[in-house]
Amino acid sequence: METSLKKYAIIVAAGSGTRMNSSLPKQFLLLKKKPVLFYSIDCFLKAYDDLEIILVLPQLHISKGQEIIDAWFDNSRIRICEGGATRFHSVQNGLALIETESIIFVHDAARCLLTQSLVKRSYKAAVEFGTAIPGIPVKDSVRYITDEGNEVLDRNKVMLIQTPQVFHSKILLPAYKIDYKEKLTDEASVVDAFGLKVRMIEGEVNNIKITTVADILFAETIIG
Amino acid sequence: METSLKKYAIIVAAGSGTRMNSSLPKQFLLLKKKPVLFYSIDCFLKAYDDLEIILVLPQLHISKGQEIIDAWFDNSRIRICEGGATRFHSVQNGLALIETESIIFVHDAARCLLTQSLVKRSYKAAVEFGTAIPGIPVKDSVRYITDEGNEVLDRNKVMLIQTPQVFHSKILLPAYKIDYKEKLTDEASVVDAFGLKVRMIEGEVNNIKITTVADILFAETIIG
């Protein structure tokens, strides 16, 4: 018998967009006439009927986020919460709204090309193993900067990590009681610091993070 | 006074194209009606008038390479040589044609979006330091697979390596006298094994390796 747990997706869209030299944070830039943010919300809502979204937005853009929800989505399945100073704090704010035993997806809104297939595979892995972190192999040679210069890494062992990073609430909620440190750059690193191993699953090559204008063009090609 | 050294670009296009499920190796796929291979050759020839190209091709496709040269380029600046079983052997075959003291670019034909600016910056660095290896920082979190599972790497220290990898002939020619080992996956790793440190320079975000259909679409967007 399959266990079906309640699902929450914390979509983190709290970035300021400084890297794109744009006054508008990248989650609001338009891709085929819809904001980047639209696509992640749409993907999660369609993947599971019993999934709720917690959308973490910069304080300045909460009303803009609400407009997007009102225009396209079922308001009853999405809550907005305010972002913090770092990704760690933003996720912590989102987690504060979760009390039910559940599977929690944490997703970067800038990865707007994720698929329902990835959402479902990662859910299943998180139910089974407690954690599911999507990663893809590198196509390039990889070097690591050292005090003396640099050295080659075995590229077959290097994985580029994506989101959604997915966890059982029994792991993620206590893990986020930790004090913030700069090295806690994603959820997997918080669970590492909590003393648990994370489970990697296969990510998706197209599940890129939108950070440059070229990425926008690429995403438009994929969305078609 | 600026030293101007003779320049050779070994363009390695010896791949079999199996990753794209295409009967044609990716260096011959069309981008805006010209083969992928066209763009690298064009970029190098335009960057320096005294640069010569050594084009390394799979035996099966040498005539196709010759057709491309005849259609678009000055035949007198390009020599074709046959590829080997691995990238190491292909580069070794190309190096066998070089006897002059020179700066040698080794470039993967699948990175067809390189710019003349990168060619020139890497030349200057190789003249000054003997080696110049372009790398870009990762945008993603990075994990390293270990015997026990996986662990996070400091992403600020991880560099994704591109081509052209550029060397003074006094370094690269003796370095390639080494016996082949599987870990020698690029030219920098051969120079490592020769006992010298390589110098990294800043690569280019758009200088991707064409490996998927999505990459082709991206490249067409960039070429415009």
Side-chain angles (χ1 to χ4, degrees):
Chain A
M1 199 183 73
E2 198 186 315
T3 320
S4 182
L5 278 164
K6 171 81 183 158
K7 296 135 193 106
Y8 291 98
I10 298 178
I11 299 182
V12 185
S16 63
T18 46
R19 254 198 285 198
M20 312 242 333
N21 294 319
S22 165
S23 57
L24 202 62
K26 56 185 179 289
Q27 59 271 26
F28 298 120
L29 294 177
L30 295 185
L31 274 185
K32 298 273 172 185
K33 302 188 180 166
K34 289 175 181 163
V36 164
L37 181 55
F38 166 87
Y39 296 94
S40 299
I41 298 176
D42 190 54
C43 177
F44 278 108
L45 290 182
K46 284 181 175 157
Y48 288 109
D49 286 341
D50 63 339
L51 181 148
E52 282 179 38
I53 287 177
I54 296 167
L55 180 58
V56 188
L57 290 167
Q59 195 270 326
L60 199 68
H61 294 290
I62 284 180
S63 62
K64 187 147 186 64
Q66 189 63 55
E67 279 170 30
I68 292 169
I69 295 172
D70 293 343
W72 280 295
F73 299 111
D74 172 1
N75 205 10
S76 72
R77 295 178 64 190
I78 310 176
R79 281 180 285 174
I80 288 179
C81 102
E82 192 178 321
T86 68
R87 176 173 169 136
F88 176 89
H89 296 99
S90 291
V91 172
Q92 211 170 35
N93 292 356
L95 290 174
L97 304 182
I98 298 179
E99 288 170 353
T100 323
E101 185 174 319
S102 54
I103 294 294
I104 303 171
F105 300 82
V106 183
H107 185 63
D108 185 339
R111 292 195 190 267
C112 58
L113 299 176
L114 88 163
T115 66
Q116 292 183 51
S117 159
L118 177 59
V119 172
K120 289 178 180 175
R121 282 192 295 112
S122 61
Y123 171 79
K124 283 174 191 148
V127 167
E128 187 171 0
F129 304 110
T131 63
I133 310 297
I136 57 168
V138 283
K139 297 201 291 188
D140 309 302
S141 295
V142 185
R143 289 187 168 258
Y144 194 77
I145 297 170
T146 62
D147 292 341
E148 293 79 37
N150 62 79
E151 60 188 28
V152 70
L153 288 178
D154 180 350
R155 63 184 262 184
N156 296 315
K157 294 187 174 169
V158 175
M159 301 293 282
L160 301 178
I161 302 303
Q162 308 182 331
T163 71
Q165 299 191 0
V166 190
F167 307 87
H168 196 293
S169 59
K170 284 184 178 167
I171 291 174
L172 199 62
L173 293 176
Y176 265 83
K177 306 273 187 241
I178 201 171
D179 287 333
Y180 174 67
K181 293 181 199 74
E182 212 174 312
K183 68 169 189 172
L184 302 175
T185 51
D186 66 356
E187 297 66 53
S189 61
V190 175
V191 170
D192 280 345
F194 185 56
L196 292 179
K197 293 275 176 201
V198 299
R199 179 90 181 196
M200 271 202 282
I201 65 164
E202 200 180 328
E204 293 179 332
V205 171
N206 287 349
N207 182 22
I208 63 165
K209 195 195 300 190
I210 304 280
T211 47
T212 65
V213 174
D215 294 335
I216 289 273
L217 298 175
F218 173 78
E220 291 201 314
T221 310
I222 296 297
I223 289 168
Chain B
M1 198 184 71
E2 198 185 316
T3 321
S4 182
L5 278 165
K6 171 79 185 159
K7 295 136 194 105
Y8 291 98
I10 298 178
I11 300 182
V12 185
S16 62
T18 46
R19 255 198 285 198
M20 313 245 328
N21 294 319
S22 165
S23 57
L24 203 61
K26 56 186 179 290
Q27 57 272 27
F28 298 120
L29 295 176
L30 295 185
L31 275 184
K32 298 273 172 187
K33 302 189 180 164
K34 288 175 181 164
V36 164
L37 181 56
F38 166 87
Y39 296 94
S40 300
I41 298 175
D42 190 55
C43 177
F44 278 108
L45 290 181
K46 284 181 176 157
Y48 289 108
D49 286 341
D50 64 340
L51 181 148
E52 282 179 39
I53 287 177
I54 296 167
L55 180 57
V56 187
L57 289 168
Q59 196 269 329
L60 199 68
H61 295 289
I62 283 180
S63 61
K64 185 145 187 65
Q66 189 62 55
E67 280 170 30
I68 293 170
I69 295 172
D70 293 343
W72 280 294
F73 300 110
D74 173 0
N75 205 9
S76 72
R77 295 178 63 191
I78 310 176
R79 281 181 285 174
I80 289 179
C81 103
E82 191 177 321
T86 69
R87 176 172 169 136
F88 176 89
H89 296 99
S90 292
V91 172
Q92 210 170 36
N93 291 356
L95 290 173
L97 304 182
I98 299 178
E99 287 170 354
T100 324
E101 185 173 319
S102 54
I103 294 294
I104 304 170
F105 300 81
V106 182
H107 185 63
D108 185 339
R111 292 194 189 267
C112 58
L113 299 176
L114 89 163
T115 66
Q116 290 183 52
S117 159
L118 176 59
V119 171
K120 288 176 180 174
R121 284 193 292 112
S122 60
Y123 171 79
K124 283 174 192 150
V127 167
E128 186 171 0
F129 304 110
T131 63
I133 310 297
I136 56 168
V138 283
K139 299 201 291 187
D140 309 301
S141 296
V142 186
R143 289 187 166 259
Y144 195 78
I145 297 170
T146 63
D147 292 340
E148 293 78 37
N150 62 80
E151 60 189 28
V152 71
L153 288 179
D154 180 351
R155 63 185 261 185
N156 297 315
K157 295 187 173 169
V158 175
M159 301 293 280
L160 301 179
I161 302 305
Q162 307 181 332
T163 70
Q165 299 191 1
V166 191
F167 308 87
H168 197 292
S169 58
K170 284 182 178 167
I171 291 174
L172 199 62
L173 292 177
Y176 266 83
K177 306 270 187 243
I178 201 171
D179 287 331
Y180 173 67
K181 293 181 198 73
E182 211 174 312
K183 68 169 189 172
L184 302 175
T185 52
D186 66 357
E187 296 67 53
S189 62
V190 174
V191 171
D192 281 345
F194 185 56
L196 292 178
K197 292 275 176 201
V198 299
R199 179 90 178 194
M200 270 202 283
I201 65 164
E202 200 180 328
E204 293 179 331
V205 171
N206 287 349
N207 183 22
I208 63 165
K209 195 196 299 191
I210 304 280
T211 48
T212 65
V213 173
D215 294 335
I216 289 273
L217 298 174
F218 173 79
E220 291 200 313
T221 311
I222 297 296
I223 289 168

